[in-house]
Amino acid sequence: MALSLIEKGDAYYCDCRREDVEERNKASQRTKQGYDGYCRERNLEKSPTTVLRYKVPAEGATTVHDLVRGEVVVANENIDDFVLLKANDAPLFVLANVVDDIDMKISHVLRAEEHLPNTPKAVLLFNSFGEVAPYFAHVPVLVNEKRQKLSKRRDRVAVEDFKDKGFLPEAMINYLALLGWSPKDNREFMTLDEMTREFAIEDVGHSPSFFDEKKMEHFNGVYIRALSDDDFVELLIPFLEKADWWQGSAENRAKLLDLASITKERVSLLGQAPDLLMPIFAPKVTVEEALFEKEVAPHAELLSQVATLCENLAEFDAASIEATLRDLSTTSEIPLRKLQSPIRIATTGAKAGLPLFELWQHAGRTVIIERLTSSAKNAEK
RNA sequence: GGCCCCAUCGUCUAGCGGUCUAGGACAUCACCCUCUCACGGUGAAGACACGGGUUCGAACCCCGUUGGGGCUGCCA
């Protein structure tokens, strides 16, 4: 197919090496750096050292009809005679692209903005082949915090990584769709169905967008909270299985279902949930030394007091636990918010986490009492 | 260097000549709710890059400047 261009006078063979061209450009003080057209009229025959070049018209201009950018006009004098076929007859990207597109009767070419500078060449080729060029649409690229085009090498953008962190596909799609595009009413949360229905290529923006993982995480949190408890648990299991303390028993799954609603609203990534659940399912919790000394040790007496209270409870459920602790708060005149801190740290190892009463209920009375009393003992040392 | 693209809060955006004292969302801060944290609620701070035009009137149109990105291979 490419050879037909020679007959039409749209292509010619060239044996210039890169260095030759550079030297000539230097010598002639040419401002342009590319190929200088040295072999255009030499009528070289094909040989193992010749490439086939496209003969770009000296005059005129080439127009790319771009659905997002409008008409992009480039003067032909600014387009170098580009290589079509390598010396070994292998076709180059533009050529391969164009014949492929013709072959497959492609109507629209959607690709990143970075390809725009080369598409006049493609348009030239379509014309030479007697074809009407397809519609092009060059969408803006995504950039990193330094405003550089996102690259696989430099930036961590593998979808697998996001999946491993606990991003939901739906949330990610929703967020990504909003980079460079927004629906007419400027709303943010939409289903794939709504997006495909309302999307129009003409509406996409012209400037690059920063890929803001923080905002995507917020989207993810909203999607997670919208999940049913069952679905949430289902999606959570693979993340729990990475923890050595997790036992996938039916009993534990039932607990998980109970805890789903209070867990959902505390995570924006599924990967954050195991840390929250750990004090319930792990046999032991560790309290950081400095934290223990500062926040727990001074309240050793309270710890054993609460342990005794727990022991005497008829039912060890959230409501009962709450009732006794509120009583204790009243009689001891320590606000509940103050009172819960040392016992939370002693039984979970963290200053913040799931609501304490539910957490205790699901961890179980013996476990909690054990953690309370051993902490009290440690504090006295 | 040459060529191409782009330019509204820190970020993603709405805006397509008058309705803009520029709207929303994320992030930030404050307050409220509250057993911690979160969720939720209320509020605050925060932008039309600059300079010329055009026009009765410019964030919106034109030109230039500056800034950013991209392309510039016998890579894809």
Side-chain angles (χ1 to χ4, degrees):
Chain A
M1 204 165 164
L3 301 180
S4 71
L5 296 177
I6 305 176
E7 289 162 30
K8 279 193 212 156
D10 285 348
Y12 60 92
Y13 285 106
C14 167
D15 64 356
C16 296
R17 293 173 308 160
R18 210 193 203 311
E19 309 87 81
D20 299 335
V21 178
E22 279 172 14
E23 252 174 62
R24 284 198 300 267
N25 282 341
K26 218 170 188 177
S28 69
Q29 306 272 329
R30 227 163 72 102
T31 52
K32 290 167 192 159
Q33 293 298 300
Y35 183 68
D36 59 356
Y38 185 74
C39 297
R40 281 182 85 126
E41 309 302 337
R42 290 174 70 203
N43 287 312
L44 259 32
E45 293 292 314
K46 175 179 165 44
S47 89
T49 57
T50 56
V51 297
L52 188 68
R53 280 187 190 275
Y54 185 83
K55 190 188 275 186
V56 178
E59 312 264 296
T62 301
T63 302
V64 178
H65 300 279
D66 193 290
L67 261 21
V68 347
R69 283 155 216 284
E71 312 242 299
V72 179
V73 184
V74 180
N76 287 337
E77 59 175 319
N78 288 326
I79 307 173
D80 293 335
D81 284 357
F82 53 98
V83 175
L84 262 16
L85 256 27
K86 300 203 246 182
N88 66 4
D89 280 350
L92 253 55
F93 188 65
V94 240
L95 208 219
N97 245 238
V98 169
V99 316
D100 249 32
D101 289 351
I102 292 172
D103 228 43
M104 301 177 76
K105 300 189 181 358
I106 298 298
S107 63
H108 292 70
V109 176
L110 269 63
R111 33 151 56 160
E113 186 187 10
E114 50 191 310
H115 291 283
L116 186 54
N118 282 319
T119 96
K121 294 174 185 172
V123 172
L124 248 14
L125 280 176
F126 276 108
N127 294 157
S128 283
F129 287 131
E131 300 281 339
V132 179
Y135 290 109
F136 288 98
H138 289 92
V139 300
V141 293
L142 258 30
V143 297
N144 61 23
E145 56 289 329
K146 288 160 78 180
R147 295 256 125 205
Q148 295 165 312
K149 181 178 72 165
L150 237 42
S151 90
K152 227 170 183 173
R153 304 200 81 157
R154 189 173 45 213
D155 309 293
R156 274 177 59 94
V157 289
V159 284
E160 278 304 314
D161 291 346
F162 292 111
K163 197 178 160 194
D164 289 346
K165 288 182 191 172
F167 278 102
L168 266 26
E170 297 78 9
M172 195 160 173
I173 289 170
N174 193 157
Y175 170 71
L176 254 16
L178 262 19
L179 293 180
W181 176 80
S182 61
K184 286 272 177 277
D185 59 3
N186 208 20
R187 104 195 90 114
E188 296 206 299
F189 294 99
M190 350 175 45
T191 63
L192 220 202
D193 207 53
E194 291 171 318
M195 291 188 272
T196 51
R197 200 174 323 120
E198 294 177 41
F199 181 83
I201 191 72
E202 293 79 10
D203 294 337
V204 332
H206 296 183
S207 49
S209 304
F210 170 65
F211 177 74
D212 187 355
E213 196 175 322
K214 267 272 172 292
K215 181 157 182 174
M216 182 163 79
E217 198 176 308
H218 173 258
F219 270 59
N220 205 55
V222 173
Y223 271 82
I224 285 178
R225 271 169 257 133
L227 249 27
S228 72
D229 288 354
D230 285 307
D231 289 345
F232 176 68
V233 169
E234 207 57 45
L235 290 167
L236 195 56
I237 301 280
F239 288 87
L240 287 166
E241 282 170 348
K242 290 180 196 159
D244 52 11
W245 44 260
W246 171 251
Q247 307 282 335
S249 64
E251 186 194 353
N252 279 350
R253 285 187 64 125
K255 280 189 187 178
L256 222 45
L257 208 53
D258 275 348
L259 295 160
S261 68
I262 59 173
T263 307
K264 270 193 296 194
E265 68 183 16
R266 285 173 174 75
V267 298
S268 50
L269 295 170
L270 290 174
Q272 294 166 345
D275 278 354
L276 246 28
L277 268 0
M278 191 270 287
I280 295 172
F281 296 103
K284 273 187 165 45
V285 296
T286 55
V287 187
E288 199 196 324
E289 182 68 29
L291 183 63
F292 184 86
E293 289 305 324
K294 183 163 180 278
E295 306 286 346
V296 183
H299 306 94
E301 203 174 318
L302 173 69
L303 262 41
S304 21
Q305 195 179 355
V306 172
T308 311
L309 251 26
C310 288
E311 219 150 340
N312 296 334
L313 237 36
E315 287 292 330
F316 195 70
D317 56 31
S320 313
I321 297 166
E322 175 166 8
T324 35
L325 287 182
R326 281 194 189 280
D327 272 354
L328 180 60
S329 166
T330 318
T331 54
S332 65
E333 292 185 325
I334 303 170
L336 194 53
R337 47 178 300 115
K338 284 265 188 196
L339 190 149
Q340 61 95 37
S341 179
I343 60 181
R344 168 184 293 279
I345 294 169
T347 55
T348 70
K351 293 172 82 167
L354 293 177
L356 202 57
F357 317 133
E358 282 91 337
L359 191 154
W360 279 15
Q361 175 189 322
H362 287 90
R365 189 198 308 245
T366 51
V367 178
I368 293 304
I369 290 176
E370 197 282 320
R371 287 176 192 169
L372 251 16
T373 49
S374 70
S375 285
K377 212 173 293 169
N378 279 340
E380 283 158 12
K381 281 180 193 166

